[in-house]
Amino acid sequence: AALFLVGIPPWLIRPVTSRRFLRPILRFLTHPIVCGFIFAATMTAWHTPLLYNAALQDKVIHVFEHLMFFGSALFYWWPILSSSEDFPHLRYSLQMLYQVGVMLAMQPVAAYMTFSRDILYPTYEYAPRIIPALSPLNDQILGGAVMVFSTMFVGFLTFAWAFFHWYQENERRRPA
């Protein structure tokens, strides 16, 4: 999704963002709090046992799940990578705050998976083990830990990138 956004030239976005009747809707949808909420809510909802197991059992639901993951990731990256002149990316200082907020919003779903004493996804209880020594519950705990660390890793890299650019901007403004 990040590469998709980076690859969209501003002239391709402009015909959509310049439409008067869409501007209030787009202003709402591209607000960082809304973008972060859409991403976190989508990831959380699809990791509930009901939806997750449904996606494992039905290919159509599985494809829909991944389309929603991609769509919500577009919202997640918009405040950071937008090339739109009408709805630009956040200033770098605010991008750092945005990353912290999204990382915090993603922790409950990962904690739910990591600290549950029950197998949340029955399909995996009977699936063959890639690492035979891992029980289904330990596999789920590992999945939750991977989710936490991957979210933190991407968030930290993005935070560091924004910090680097913010620092450079401030250095340029500083009198010699």
Side-chain angles (χ1 to χ4, degrees), residues 128-164:
R129 303 273 140 241
I130 294 173
I131 303 171
L134 275 181
S135 70
L137 185 58
N138 285 338
D139 188 33
Q140 177 177 292
I141 291 168
L142 180 61
V146 166
M147 193 173 185
V148 167
F149 289 117
S150 61
T151 299
M152 300 285 271
F153 181 72
V154 170
F156 176 75
L157 283 180
T158 309
F159 183 97
W161 179 80
F163 179 82
F164 174 76

Side-chain angles (χ1 to χ4, degrees), residues 47-94:
H47 282 86
T48 60
L50 178 70
L51 290 177
Y52 195 88
N53 287 317
L56 289 173
Q57 302 297 325
D58 187 316
K59 188 174 184 164
V60 173
I61 295 173
H62 189 87
V63 169
F64 182 67
E65 171 192 45
H66 283 272
L67 288 172
M68 286 190 69
F69 284 161
F70 182 75
S72 69
L74 290 174
F75 281 104
Y76 168 75
W77 288 107
W78 187 271
I80 300 164
L81 300 173
S82 169
S83 62
S84 170
E85 295 166 7
D86 298 318
F87 302 97
H89 63 76
L90 290 171
R91 293 188 320 254
Y92 295 115
S93 57
L94 293 176

